[in-house]
Amino acid sequence: MKKLVSAGEILVEIMAERIGQSFLEPGPLVGPFPSGAPAIFIGQAAALGQPAGLIGAVGKDDFGQLNIDRLRALGADVSAIAVHEGHATGTAFVTYGADASRHFVFNIRNSAAGLLEMDDAARRLLSGADHVHVMGSSLFSDRATEVALAAIAAVKARGGTVSFDPNIRREIMQASGMRQALDNVLAQTDVFLPSGDELFLFSSAGDERGAVDELLHRGLSCIVLKKGAEGAAYYDRQDTLAMPGFAVEEVDPTGAGDCFGAAFVSFWLRGAAPGDALRIANACGALAVTRKGPMEGIYRLADVEAFIAQAGAHA
Ligand code: ATP
Ligand code: MG
């Protein structure tokens, strides 16, 4: 089976307990939860049985250990996660607005995650990789962008493929050079996985079809547009497919896009029909939002298939 690799931020997430809670005054928090978009992605891919490994960096602390233990338990290759003494693992503190907005306080660049590099362990992992997935949030510094671009080059040199989720977080988008890095990655992408308005960041068109056509002409193999509770749509040069989301009670939206993407890419790599890959991805995204914590809603393939069968029986 094809091996999937990603590189980027490993974090713990600590969240406000109540909706509408602010960080401008003390309040109850829950966590730490293992997190970081590429870590969630690799964890979900591994849980579905895809060989998957992560290039990352944590501190020599409990937050780092929590992440490594979780990824290992899910079956991911953790050989290229560097552990740095004297640096703390990255963190994300999250509040939830009453209007469903989320606000983050990130400590990534100045944490152990900022020490991300293409070391021997990373090169070894890439020497067996068939596909690389890039998260826009992982282009948080020049150094991290260099790692992502080197990973793309290594996998492409072996005849492999690239997927890309812009995963824009306003709070990170301000990093200098990020825009250029996003465009650079997109130009090398096979499978593009934007969510909502992210589609329009990379196109001059004002409507979905126009933006999709423009992007497909630039050489992408397919575009999978994530639409939250409404599900997702798939586009390639021949086919268009829309699929509604599964009906679930949303407890915590963070991580849905990463779990969705991991499932779609894993099944795309297996040569599944787009509709089948989209169904598994929709199910993984839906399951992800049913649990508090971005990696708590990761399920193994048998459980995901059981969820789909049950949803079908109730439809
Ligand atoms: P993230 O916050 O992880 O970056 P995202 O914005 O990239 O998320 P979303 O569109 O929010 O991605 O969610 C990804 C997928 O997860 C959706 O396309 C859908 O399949 C599923 N999903 C998300 N929210 C829900 C929901 N409330 N009910 C059912 N499915 C959902
Ligand atoms: Mg996302």
Side-chain angles (χ1 to χ4, degrees), residues 192 194-196 199 208 223-227 231-235 260:
F192 183 44
S195 103
L199 179 68
E208 189 173 315
I223 299 172
V224 189
L225 184 60
K226 294 168 278 169
K227 299 182 173 187
Y234 169 93
Y235 299 95
F260 175 100

Side-chain angles (χ1 to χ4, degrees), residues 142-315:
D142 291 346
R143 183 179 173 139
T145 300
E146 261 174 52
V147 173
L149 295 177
I152 291 175
V155 165
K156 288 216 151 192
R158 303 182 71 244
T161 45
V162 177
S163 52
F164 175 41
D165 178 346
N167 203 31
I168 305 290
R169 297 282 180 263
R170 221 167 356 115
E171 293 86 344
I172 304 178
M173 190 64 180
Q174 288 142 10
S176 72
M178 189 159 197
R179 177 69 228 202
Q180 199 188 344
L182 290 166
D183 288 332
N184 190 341
V185 172
L186 184 69
Q188 307 190 66
T189 293
D190 300 288
V191 180
F192 183 44
L193 297 146
S195 103
D197 286 347
E198 288 171 351
L199 179 68
F200 302 110
L201 284 172
F202 300 91
S203 141
S204 54
D207 64 304
E208 189 173 315
R209 188 71 243 185
V212 161
D213 285 343
E214 188 181 325
L215 287 165
L216 286 173
H217 266 101
R218 278 202 236 155
L220 293 166
S221 296
C222 63
I223 299 172
V224 189
L225 184 60
K226 294 168 278 169
K227 299 182 173 187
E230 286 167 37
Y234 169 93
Y235 299 95
D236 64 23
R237 276 179 218 97
Q238 284 83 42
D239 293 321
T240 296
L241 243 166
M243 208 175 275
F246 287 94
V248 291
E249 194 196 332
E250 182 173 303
V251 175
D252 176 13
T254 310
D258 312 327
C259 292
F260 175 100
F264 185 87
V265 171
S266 295
F267 278 78
W268 183 80
L269 286 172
R270 295 175 199 191
D276 293 337
L278 207 55
R279 188 173 304 106
I280 297 272
N282 256 339
C284 288
L287 284 166
V289 306
T290 62
R291 301 280 300 274
K292 196 167 231 181
M295 291 179 75
E296 309 310 304
I298 290 178
Y299 290 85
R300 296 189 188 276
L301 183 56
D303 299 322
V304 178
E305 285 172 338
F307 168 79
I308 293 171
Q310 203 187 8
H314 288 254

Side-chain angles (χ1 to χ4, degrees), residues 112-123:
L115 301 176
L116 190 71
E117 64 180 340
M118 192 54 74
D119 59 9
D120 287 344
R123 274 187 282 271

